[in-house]
Amino acid sequence: MANHKSALKRHRQSLKRRDRNRAVKTRVRNLIKRVRTAVEQNDREAAQQALVDATSALDKAATKKVFHWRGAARRISRLHQAVNKIGEAS
């Protein structure tokens, strides 16, 4: 454990950031899961709405450096591909 005043503060800050980042990651995972579930059920409207929410959350997380921006872009791209395939199958 840290002994210096500045190191103690830094540790407190890291714990706050960790909690915040975990909340953001959990939210993003749940939104992605919602898109995947809608795609599996071939529900185009629900998938598109969930995709909008997931895209927004991923972009925000990338802006705040919770996810790397390229990783977020890759996930968004793959979700778009999955949703677009619903229209082709029908």
Side-chain angles (χ1 to χ4, degrees), residues 37-57:
T37 304
V39 167
E40 287 174 9
Q41 295 174 348
N42 287 330
D43 188 352
R44 190 161 173 77
E45 289 77 30
Q48 286 178 331
Q49 183 56 46
L51 179 64
V52 169
D53 296 338
T55 302
S56 175

Side-chain angles (χ1 to χ4, degrees), residues 34-80:
R34 198 176 298 167
V35 175
R36 296 260 180 234
T37 304
V39 167
E40 287 174 9
Q41 295 174 348
N42 287 330
D43 188 352
R44 190 161 173 77
E45 289 77 30
Q48 286 178 331
Q49 183 56 46
L51 179 64
V52 169
D53 296 338
T55 302
S56 175
L58 274 163
D59 282 336
K60 284 181 187 175
T63 302
K64 294 174 182 176
K65 312 275 196 222
V66 178
F67 290 105
H68 193 276
W69 64 272
R70 283 192 186 132
R74 182 179 62 243
R75 288 173 191 224
I76 291 169
S77 174
R78 288 180 182 170
L79 288 173
H80 271 280

Side-chain angles (χ1 to χ4, degrees), residues 17-33:
R17 279 197 198 95
R18 177 174 161 243
D19 289 341
R20 195 177 307 129
N21 289 343
R22 285 176 77 181
V24 171
K25 284 182 181 182
T26 301
R27 177 169 162 68
V28 168
R29 273 194 222 107
N30 288 337
L31 290 170
I32 289 173
K33 205 181 298 180

